[in-house]
Amino acid sequence: MSEETPRRVEFFFDVASPYSYLASTRIEEICTRHAAGLVWRPILMAGLMKDLGITPPIQIPAKLTYMSRDLQRWAEHLGVPFNVPKQFPLNSLPVMRGCVEARNHEKAAAFAKAAFHAYWVEGRKIDEPAVLHELAEEADIHPRHLLDHVVDHEVKEQLRRETREAADRGVFGVPTFILGGEELFWGNDRLFFVEKALAGQTTKRVLAG
Amino acid sequence: MSKSVDFYFDLASPYAYMASTKIDEVCERAGAKVNWKPFLLGGVFKATGNEMPARIPAKAAYMQKDLRNWADYYKVEFNFPGHFPINSVKPMRACIAAGKEGKLREFARKMYDAYWVHGKKIDDPAVIEEVAADVGLDGKKLLEQIETDEVKDELKKLTGEAIERGAFGAPFMATDRHIFWGNDRLPLLEHVLRNG
């Protein structure tokens, strides 16, 4: 991709993923601190896992039990609010289509953050049209327009295509971060490597310049 | 009561190798005692319905790079072995047998090095014998011990114990109140050890 710069972070996420939520609370600050651009890339985790033959972690009971404790510890560690929603897991298809449509209006970050917060903090039923309507308002997108477009063939196809493209680039789970168009990091717990890599690039630039 | 951590490891797991290079240091810093406990990751996967991450090609490719990042970060040697995965049943039984001679940690460390640094086939009895000799054990005797029911049952028991405590992967660390999965959770382990 010709427009790639080494100081660009692509953030692949699905609102249904709690570790994506945790990452979403930190990614902007990290990119700002390291003067890196940020691209929000909505993808459909369920579709990705199915295509790659990966068993979703929540299908392993021991993993699911562990995850809820692990997430609680992370939230405390990061000082962010977190509540496992009553309605879990979430069918994130409508809201991820909403993220794609929001991005078409350059509101990707605002809409995604509103959705993450609504689901992982407030436990709202974000797969319902009435709630999507509220999220659109929170992100300053015309709600009717968003609701019309989440059922739009083009938006559906766009989410499918971008999920496939992510898989082609080596993405196999969320959250994933791709730096400079090629260096891939998987997991909220790898943001610390992302930061190291961003800091390393800065050093190199200083040395080169 | 003094704090202690049970460190369940399998020699076949690269992330358990990473953790093995740091666990003693982390626990010592936090004033806790470490019990190294051999277990069989294959048995854990089977019991919990979990699977080896490297089975997914995209994950396997990423793991290579992720492990390189960890090795650089920890400043430890690491070379992904050509011979992967291994059947770790014999090597893990050998750890149990070495433990009976009071050399568990020393033997396990040498085995980790043999495999994850030098790429030796640690599921080959000849290599097990060699590593045993290296830590001052009678290699021939160790190979006989690993065929005994006592050793086999001990490994089964520890694997069952870990599953009972919530393990589904390796490395797995457990205190009296908390469980942790993964080398990347060592900082959280240290945090709970320090803060109760």
Side-chain angles (χ1 to χ4, degrees), chain A residues 101-120:
Chain A
E101 177 57 16
R103 201 196 43 209
N104 295 343
H105 295 269
E106 303 196 347
K107 299 276 187 192
F111 185 81
K113 283 192 288 182
F116 273 124
H117 194 264
Y119 186 59
W120 290 108

Side-chain angles (χ1 to χ4, degrees), chain A residues 125-157:
Chain A
K125 296 189 169 178
I126 62 169
D127 54 348
E128 289 182 0
V131 181
L132 284 175
H133 189 283
E134 291 163 13
L135 294 179
E137 281 179 338
E138 287 167 33
D140 201 19
I141 303 166
H142 196 283
R144 200 60 259 160
H145 190 93
L146 185 111
L147 285 174
D148 285 348
H149 277 82
V150 297
V151 292
D152 186 298
H153 175 74
E154 211 170 295
V155 168
K156 289 181 180 177
E157 188 43 47

Side-chain angles (χ1 to χ4, degrees), chain A residues 19 52-55 60-63 66 69-70 73-74 170 172 183-186 189-190 192-193 196, chain B residues 15 48-51 55-56 58-59 62 65-66 69-70 73 166 168 177-181 184-185 188:
Chain A
Y19 291 102
L52 297 176
I54 299 175
T55 309
I60 314 288
K63 222 177 204 176
Y66 174 76
R69 300 172 68 173
D70 187 54
R73 282 196 285 247
W74 269 104
F172 54 86
E183 201 178 356
L184 187 150
F185 297 90
W186 171 53
D189 50 19
R190 293 301 188 273
F192 112 97
F193 278 149
K196 269 167 54 78
Chain B
Y15 288 104
T48 57
N50 202 1
E51 51 201 18
R55 192 183 66 78
I56 311 295
K59 236 179 199 179
Y62 171 75
K65 182 191 164 283
D66 186 51
N69 283 340
W70 280 104
Y73 176 63
F168 51 87
R177 291 171 47 214
H178 298 277
I179 59 171
F180 296 92
W181 166 54
D184 50 20
R185 294 303 187 267
L188 287 178

Side-chain angles (χ1 to χ4, degrees), chain B residues 1-195:
Chain B
M1 208 178 80
S2 67
K3 293 177 281 188
S4 77
V5 175
D6 291 326
F7 172 60
Y8 295 89
F9 69 97
D10 186 317
L11 294 165
S13 155
Y15 288 104
Y17 161 69
M18 288 297 163
S20 79
T21 68
K22 292 287 162 193
I23 187 75
D24 289 352
E25 182 186 320
V26 163
C27 292
E28 196 188 328
R29 246 191 341 245
K33 183 174 160 283
V34 194
N35 309 309
W36 285 49
K37 294 196 166 185
F39 78 154
L40 212 52
L41 187 55
V44 172
F45 281 161
K46 209 169 159 191
T48 57
N50 202 1
E51 51 201 18
M52 197 174 88
R55 192 183 66 78
I56 311 295
K59 236 179 199 179
Y62 171 75
M63 259 175 64
Q64 300 260 352
K65 182 191 164 283
D66 186 51
L67 287 160
R68 174 52 49 206
N69 283 340
W70 280 104
D72 291 349
Y73 176 63
Y74 280 173
K75 298 187 171 59
V76 296
E77 286 185 81
F78 177 77
N79 299 295
F80 208 94
H83 179 63
F84 177 86
I86 49 159
N87 178 344
S88 61
V89 174
K90 280 195 165 75
M92 295 318 292
R93 284 178 184 160
C95 288
I96 300 277
K100 296 197 177 300
E101 309 292 329
K103 298 258 187 182
L104 169 58
R105 216 175 288 208
E106 216 181 320
F107 178 76
R109 281 190 194 291
K110 288 270 187 210
M111 287 287 271
Y112 266 131
D113 274 358
Y115 187 49
W116 291 106
V117 177
H118 304 293
K120 289 190 184 161
K121 298 187 173 184
I122 58 163
D123 48 356
D124 176 346
V127 174
I128 294 176
E129 200 180 326
E130 196 183 301
V131 174
D134 217 15
V135 298
L137 290 172
D138 180 339
K140 285 261 179 297
K141 189 178 153 206
L142 192 88
L143 288 179
E144 281 164 21
Q145 278 175 307
I146 68 174
E147 299 304 334
T148 63
D149 285 345
E150 191 193 352
V151 167
K152 291 179 183 177
D153 290 347
E154 177 75 9
L155 184 59
K156 268 187 226 153
K157 194 194 94 192
L158 290 175
T159 305
E161 176 186 297
I163 294 164
E164 195 70 23
R165 296 174 84 174
F168 51 87
F172 178 69
M173 287 81 68
T175 69
D176 55 349
R177 291 171 47 214
H178 298 277
I179 59 171
F180 296 92
W181 166 54
N183 164 63
D184 50 20
R185 294 303 187 267
L186 285 178
L188 287 178
L189 168 69
E190 184 170 357
H191 179 83
V192 306
L193 289 175
R194 284 177 187 280
N195 301 286

Side-chain angles (χ1 to χ4, degrees), chain A residues 9-53:
Chain A
V9 177
E10 294 167 83
F11 171 43
F12 295 81
F13 68 96
D14 185 318
V15 173
S17 145
Y19 291 102
S20 293
Y21 159 68
L22 291 176
S24 78
T25 66
R26 311 162 65 197
I27 190 68
E28 287 181 313
E29 187 266 325
I30 288 170
C31 288
T32 304
R33 188 148 32 87
H34 294 280
L38 172 61
V39 183
W40 293 67
R41 292 222 183 277
I43 59 172
L44 200 63
M45 179 173 65
L48 183 72
M49 288 187 150
K50 204 174 155 203
D51 285 352
L52 297 176

